Amino acid sequence: MEALRVCWVLLGTLAAGSAQLLFENIPSVTMDACNTTVLIPCKVNNLIENNATKMFVKWKLQGKVFLSYDGVDNIFVRNRTFESASLNVPDLPSGNASLLLSKHEAIPGNYSCEVVEASREGQTLIELIYVSATWFRPVEHGVITAFIILGNILYWAQFGVVAKMYDMTFSKKIGLGIPGIIATGFAVIGCILFAADGYASGNQAGLGLIILPAVILVPLFYFLFTSVFEKQPLFAIILVVLKALGYVIAVVGFALCVSACRPKQSSVVIAGLVIIDIVAAIGLIYIIVLGFNLKDHQPPRKAVEESLNDAKGVMLE
Ligand SMILES: *[C@@H]1O[C@H](CO)[C@@H](O)[C@H](O)[C@H]1NC(C)=O
Ligand SMILES: *[C@@H]1O[C@H](CO)[C@@H](O)[C@H](O)[C@H]1NC(C)=O
């Protein structure tokens, strides 16, 4: 076949002069960890025959041929390390000789695409550049991290206010403090893991540790209120329910994002965290205002031991 090809080229050169194929100019394409297949474009603009059976295509990487297609016999020849390399034969007559590769075989570097159509030929160079993928955009990344940190700060502020204004017993401080430390610990580890770039199991786990243990903050929020009120006012119950709702939304967002290399639902995660934080902030203001009002009156505390036992019961479930 090589002989025939050379023959054609020579004949063509004699017949038509040294006709050149011209290509769409695409100097480079990029890929990242999210690409499963890679397409390296190669498009001829001035084919005349528009017939795949009169075409030859060669793809080279750093000057070495790894894929050739012989249109006369409709045969592909591949280098063993490029078994996935292919091109779409039905697209050839329109001048499209773009290369398809699986991501495992897509080595960054300078690819050249050589096309012969009867007597005419030409080649073009395309550089495949590897860029590291970012899972979330930096701003989303920052917002998620900031909101979980804020959520934890707000919890400790509530804890401090309740401890100071409503005379928390030592055992109650332990009962509310230890789960709080656990929640904050998870959030800190989560933020550190989540900070890594790219889409990998490390930062997926990080986001999980940011979102999932935040559930601890929901019952803690409720048990803080039990230190404030003997009977929970409707407003406090509503706040706890809203906080739980915010958590559920964040978890749904997490489930949608964790399996997507290019997550589109980061706003769901953020919305959940925002609700958690807003509710926590309202709760904080609420207990501060109540605390000041109650300073002159009898604090509506109920038996501290009883509520601590409630707390323990739920924590152990
Ligand atoms: C990688 O995937 C992106 C998004 O789907 C796409 O735009 C890009 O062309 C792909 N890169 C290559 C080299 O195929
Ligand atoms: C590809 O070619 C360009 C320009 O000639 C060069 O700057 C670049 O380093 C080459 N890339 C590789 C991976 O050899």
Side-chain angles (χ1 to χ4, degrees), residues 111-124:
Y111 287 76
S112 80
C113 168
E114 220 179 282
V115 178
V116 177
E117 185 203 38
S119 61
R120 303 158 4 113
E121 66 180 327
Q123 71 166 331
T124 186

Side-chain angles (χ1 to χ4, degrees), residues 155-156 159 168 170-184 216 220 224 308:
Y155 173 70
W156 289 108
F159 180 88
M168 234 192 245
F170 180 72
S171 52
K172 182 121 194 182
K173 278 179 191 155
I174 299 288
L176 286 168
I178 289 177
I181 289 169
I182 292 171
T184 301
I216 298 171
L220 286 185
L224 272 175
L308 177 63

Side-chain angles (χ1 to χ4, degrees), residues 83-308:
E83 270 169 354
S84 69
S86 191
L87 43 87
N88 202 2
V89 175
D91 287 344
L92 277 179
S94 66
N96 186 349
S98 301
L99 173 72
L100 287 159
L101 275 177
S102 84
K103 76 168 182 187
H104 306 291
E105 293 180 352
I107 304 161
N110 288 309
Y111 287 76
S112 80
C113 168
E114 220 179 282
V115 178
V116 177
E117 185 203 38
S119 61
R120 303 158 4 113
E121 66 180 327
Q123 71 166 331
T124 186
L125 269 175
I126 311 102
E127 184 171 11
L128 176 64
I129 300 169
Y130 191 90
V131 292
S132 65
T134 52
W135 186 23
F136 286 92
R137 287 181 294 140
V139 55
E140 298 166 334
H141 206 281
V143 166
I144 290 171
T145 307
F147 280 131
I148 195 65
I149 291 172
L150 182 62
N152 279 274
I153 290 174
L154 286 168
Y155 173 70
W156 289 108
Q158 290 161 354
F159 180 88
V161 168
V162 172
K164 201 152 179 62
M165 289 183 146
Y166 300 89
D167 303 328
M168 234 192 245
T169 60
F170 180 72
S171 52
K172 182 121 194 182
K173 278 179 191 155
I174 299 288
L176 286 168
I178 289 177
I181 289 169
I182 292 171
T184 301
F186 277 128
V188 168
I189 298 168
C191 286
I192 293 168
L193 289 174
F194 185 52
D197 217 10
Y199 177 63
S201 49
N203 48 11
Q204 283 170 288
L207 185 61
L209 288 179
I210 286 178
I211 305 292
L212 302 179
V215 72
I216 298 171
L217 296 177
V218 179
L220 286 185
F221 189 54
Y222 174 78
F223 289 120
L224 272 175
F225 279 137
T226 64
S227 303
V228 178
F229 309 105
E230 192 152 348
K231 185 176 180 301
Q232 298 294 310
L234 185 60
F235 186 63
I237 304 284
I238 290 172
L239 285 183
V240 172
V241 170
L242 284 177
K243 187 148 177 152
L245 184 69
Y247 176 75
V248 170
I249 292 172
V251 170
V252 169
F254 167 71
L256 291 171
C257 289
V258 77
S259 54
C261 195
R262 295 188 175 89
K264 294 190 176 68
Q265 275 81 18
S266 54
S267 55
V268 180
V269 174
I270 293 170
L273 292 176
V274 168
I275 294 173
I276 290 174
D277 287 2
I278 290 177
V279 170
I282 295 172
L284 177 62
I285 295 166
Y286 185 46
I287 51 185
I288 290 174
V289 170
L290 272 179
F292 278 122
N293 287 341
L294 292 172
K295 276 261 154 93
D296 319 323
H297 311 282
Q298 194 75 353
R301 262 180 291 130
K302 82 177 190 182
V304 166
E305 275 313 310
E306 191 190 323
S307 48
L308 177 63

